[in-house]
Amino acid sequence: VQLQASGGGLVQAGGSRGLSCTASGNIFRVNSMGWYRQAPGNQRELVATITLGGTTNYADSVKGRFTISRDNAKNTVYLQMNSLKPEDTAVYYCNANVRITFLRTPTDHWGQGTQVTVSS
């Protein structure tokens, strides 16, 4: 299973940016998907998650500014980031909980990370 993320870059404070991440490979079903981020010197932290049924969960720091969504047919998760702040600067990682076959226990997979830099 591979996760390919895209959409990072440089954006000014107050601006918007969209990220996407597609899971591919030997996949029976993608369960929850999510975005995490890691700033220099900090631990990786949860940004947002979304279940197969569409239930979402957000970190308090991004509520009201970020929106997570997914396209189940494409095994793709999106993160729309609005009203960006310099403190949102980090490497953003996508995550997917994937069941490879019907009988196998689901396992977590990570994308390679995409840098988002918000300038003040």
Side-chain angles (χ1 to χ4, degrees):
V1 177
Q2 299 82 38
L3 296 182
Q4 181 66 48
S6 62
L10 177 64
V11 61
Q12 289 189 332
S16 299
R17 197 79 178 184
L19 305 180
S20 64
C21 177
T22 299
S24 62
N26 189 18
I27 296 172
F28 173 74
R29 178 181 297 153
V30 179
N31 296 320
S32 63
M33 304 184 82
W35 291 95
Y36 294 71
R37 67 186 182 187
Q38 186 168 18
N42 291 353
Q43 291 186 332
R44 190 173 298 188
E45 63 178 8
L46 179 147
V47 176
T49 61
I50 184 167
T51 67
L52 180 61
T55 299
T56 58
N57 179 55
Y58 294 93
D60 288 342
S61 59
V62 306
K63 282 181 181 177
R65 300 189 298 121
F66 290 11
T67 301
I68 190 170
S69 60
R70 65 188 287 173
D71 184 331
N72 292 334
K74 297 180 179 179
N75 290 331
T76 298
V77 62
Y78 306 95
L79 185 68
Q80 179 61 40
M81 304 180 291
N82 299 328
S83 302
L84 282 161
K85 305 175 181 180
E87 50 264 44
D88 294 318
T89 295
V91 177
Y92 284 71
Y93 296 90
C94 60
N95 170 273
N97 183 261
V98 178
R99 185 183 293 270
I100 295 175
T101 68
F102 177 74
L103 296 177
R104 292 281 296 273
T105 300
T107 52
D108 280 337
H109 300 265
W110 293 89
Q112 82 283 8
T114 184
Q115 176 71 45
V116 175
T117 302
V118 183
S119 62
S120 57

